[in-house]
Amino acid sequence: MKPRVYLDTSVFSAYYDRRLPERQRQTREFWLRRAGFDLATSELAREELMQVLDAVRRRRLLVMLRRVAVHPVTTAINELTQRYLAAGVFTAAMHNDAVHVAAAVLTQHDVLLSWNFKHLVNRRRRAEVNTLNVSWGLSTIEIVAPPEL
């Protein structure tokens, strides 16, 4: 069985982002290995990618989105997002990050893949999310960057 991996928007965006060549290289290497994973994201990623100003880049990113399952943002995902916010794991400014975590957890993914070290890929946030998830009877989730997978 392939690991179930949820991709946040940063994993798509980094593919074409030349500002950080090493991150771009590692992202492209991950995409070459994508067949080894069951990949998905949520409708939020589509919404965020639609905001890319460069029309050519936006089109390319949306084509990448076709290669993964896209889950709707359900009432249950929104409710879990609000629980994370109320518990202080995420601030209101980090709402979309909380949505990505809630979506990954409720769609039963093993891993949330992200380049967002400030809000997602860090030991403290992962521990807080997983402590709450366990207390609420939900599954835990690994939150890592592409090189870790």
Side-chain angles (χ1 to χ4, degrees):
M1 185 178 219
K2 295 179 184 178
R4 294 176 44 82
V5 179
Y6 178 98
L7 309 175
D8 86 346
T9 310
S10 68
V11 180
F12 296 93
S13 298
Y15 192 90
Y16 293 107
D17 188 351
R18 293 186 177 113
R19 293 174 297 172
L20 296 169
E22 182 63 14
R23 183 176 75 172
Q24 183 184 33
R25 182 189 64 74
Q26 291 172 331
T27 301
R28 288 179 176 216
E29 287 175 358
F30 166 76
W31 280 98
L32 290 174
R33 299 182 295 114
R34 72 182 177 275
F37 307 102
D38 181 6
L39 300 179
T41 192
S42 69
E43 194 60 40
L44 175 59
R46 182 188 318 277
E47 292 171 14
E48 290 176 327
L49 293 173
M50 288 295 294
Q51 295 174 19
V52 172
L53 297 177
D54 181 305
V56 172
R57 181 177 286 180
R58 182 177 55 246
R59 191 170 30 255
R60 288 178 179 166
L61 290 166
L62 293 173
V63 166
M64 291 176 74
L65 198 60
R66 294 181 198 157
R67 299 176 184 160
V68 302
V70 179
H71 297 285
V73 176
T74 63
T75 300
I77 289 170
N78 285 324
E79 288 172 356
L80 182 55
T81 298
Q82 291 307 311
R83 290 175 81 181
Y84 288 141
L85 293 169
V89 174
F90 296 97
T91 65
M94 298 160 50
H95 179 271
N96 285 1
D97 300 310
V99 172
H100 283 300
V101 173
V105 168
L106 293 180
T107 57
Q108 301 176 350
H109 284 82
D110 306 306
V111 175
L112 186 156
L113 202 63
S114 176
W115 281 111
N116 185 342
F117 292 104
K118 183 176 181 182
H119 296 159
L120 290 174
V121 185
N122 64 67
R123 173 173 247 164
R124 182 184 59 80
R125 184 93 53 219
R126 182 173 47 244
E128 290 174 346
V129 164
N130 285 328
T131 297
L132 287 175
N133 286 354
V134 168
S135 74
W136 295 332
L138 300 170
S139 61
T140 60
I141 189 154
E142 287 296 315
I143 304 172
V144 299
E148 297 177 76
L149 195 58

